[in-house]
Amino acid sequence: MRFGAAKLKTIVEPRTYFIRTFGCQMNEHDSERIAGLLESEGYERAHSPDAADLIVLNTCAIRENADNKLYGNLGHLKPLKDARPELRIAVGGCQVQKDKHLVIEKAPWVDVAFGTFAVGELPRLLADRESGGVPAFEFTEHTDVFPSALPARREQRFHGWVSVSVGCDNACTFCIVPSVRGPQVSRRLGDVLDECKRLVEDGVVEISLLGQNVNTYGRDLDGRPMFAELLASMDGIDGLRRVRFTSPHPHDFTPDVIEAMAGSKTVCEHIHFPLQSGSDSVLKRMRRSYRSARYLEWLHDIRAAVPGVAVSTDIIVGFPGETDAEFEDTLRVVQSAQFDSAYTFEYSIRPGTEAAVMPDQVPAGVVQERFRRLVALQENISLEKNTALMNARVETLVEGPSRKDPARATARTRTNKIVHVPGDGLQPGSFADVIVKAAHPHYLEGEVA
Ligand code: SAH
Ligand code: SF4
Ligand code: F3S
């Protein structure tokens, strides 16, 4: 009996949690919900995995190294679990949605596994694990509860993620996302705006609207995209200063969306505009619906309508069958597009996607060489773009002390550029006008005006 009571005590007491998040903003958003749920269950945040009674890994599956990372991390957690059997390990996110039971087979010391549609189930699964004594899991393929409807513990008081849709109806041949996040499901416009208003009442000045294909928001609701309407409505929220959104698909950047951006005072002068490749034949094999000329036209229209807009992009190098000539096309389009920044990726084979079984996978050495050339080109362009801002006065939102140098603050321009400034007295969430004093490819340095 006494043994039983002692055992029960160690089980009901676990009350601190630690979350590690991988992948995109959608996962950051979901992790804030996971934290919110756990705190509403009485858990408190621990500042390291060693100090936590519950460790949650929120995983990503977009590239192969994301896979390796999950199993590598679980490997590191095994000795911790061996030393403290009462430690609970929960894994969620896209990798778990993809691998399902395999996660528990490969790492039987996992206590709870939950897919992308089961974020809200975590407390129940933890309870099931205690009562059942065996790993608990939920890999459902759909949910009625939008994760945004769950309580959140926000990382930054002044910033809120708001998901407007989840899932993606496209079928880019390289991409795992549709199979782990399902088809697009949008939230009702009223629900999105209500959440935004609540956030602003709670001190938020910057909101990032999220969707895997954010600018087709609403298409699944009443058959027509409502993204322009959503953007336009954001201006009506008193006290909201900045609106961002990610990720749009170039194809759905329709004139009404550009008009809404141009006419808005809150929507920031930055767009993420994923190119993927500059080669028309590669774009076709990727099943991207535009071609390079059309892409550059859109870019031109956006820049004409939104003065000073900064543009970032995603590019994949070494898609199956990519020839030297096709890669040169990418370099040419990058040169002509003049992006402010680019996220460049080596193509990573994702079993289950169409591209995974395409012929002529490009040898790693060739991919790396092309990758280096693309990065070098883009770094030059980014530096030129940033250098053009020398001595300009820019509005920044202070995010907090710089990670490298706590005497400086990290702030962000409306165009999504990082500026480091001497940090004395700069409060996170406050606005500061800054004069740009130095330019680098990935950030600026400045002084408060
Ligand atoms: N919904 C977003 C993409 C999310 S994934 C969009 O359409 O823009 C983010 C980026 O990861 C993609 O834009 C793509 O550049 C990259 N990516 C996706 N699958 C990949 C793969 N198999 N290998 C390498 N990069 C990939
Ligand atoms: Fe993936 Fe394409 Fe959907 Fe983006 S639009 S999530 S790249 S399938
Ligand atoms: Fe990764 Fe899932 Fe986002 S696969 S990039 S965390 S949608």
Side-chain angles (χ1 to χ4, degrees), residues 24 62-64 168 170 172 174-177 211-213 247-250 272 274 276 288 314-317 343 345-350 353:
C24 67
I62 200 79
R63 284 169 288 275
E64 195 178 0
C168 177
N170 294 321
C172 304
F174 52 81
C175 184
I176 194 88
V177 170
Q212 257 92 27
N213 199 162
S247 278
H249 192 294
H272 187 62
Q276 310 302 1
R288 299 287 287 186
D314 288 346
I315 299 168
I316 297 177
V317 173
Y343 299 89
F345 305 104
E346 294 182 5
Y347 169 73
S348 174
I349 197 160
R350 303 285 60 216
T353 60

Side-chain angles (χ1 to χ4, degrees), residues 135-157:
F137 49 81
E138 180 62 75
F139 307 123
T140 171
E141 300 283 340
H142 72 97
T143 176
D144 301 328
V145 184
F146 227 91
S148 278
L150 302 170
R153 181 203 198 275
R154 282 182 287 106
E155 288 304 312
Q156 290 165 315
R157 277 196 59 80

Side-chain angles (χ1 to χ4, degrees), residues 211-263:
Q212 257 92 27
N213 199 162
V214 72
N215 51 350
T216 51
Y217 166 72
R219 191 164 63 186
D220 50 297
L221 289 178
D222 66 355
R224 71 192 170 93
M226 294 153 58
F227 190 61
E229 207 173 316
L230 170 61
L231 286 186
S233 311
M234 300 299 283
D235 264 5
I237 303 176
D238 250 5
L240 180 61
R241 296 277 298 268
R242 289 181 169 190
V243 175
R244 302 185 182 282
F245 57 88
T246 204
S247 278
H249 192 294
H251 177 257
D252 304 303
F253 227 93
T254 43
D256 60 329
V257 172
I258 300 178
E259 212 174 288
M261 254 191 106

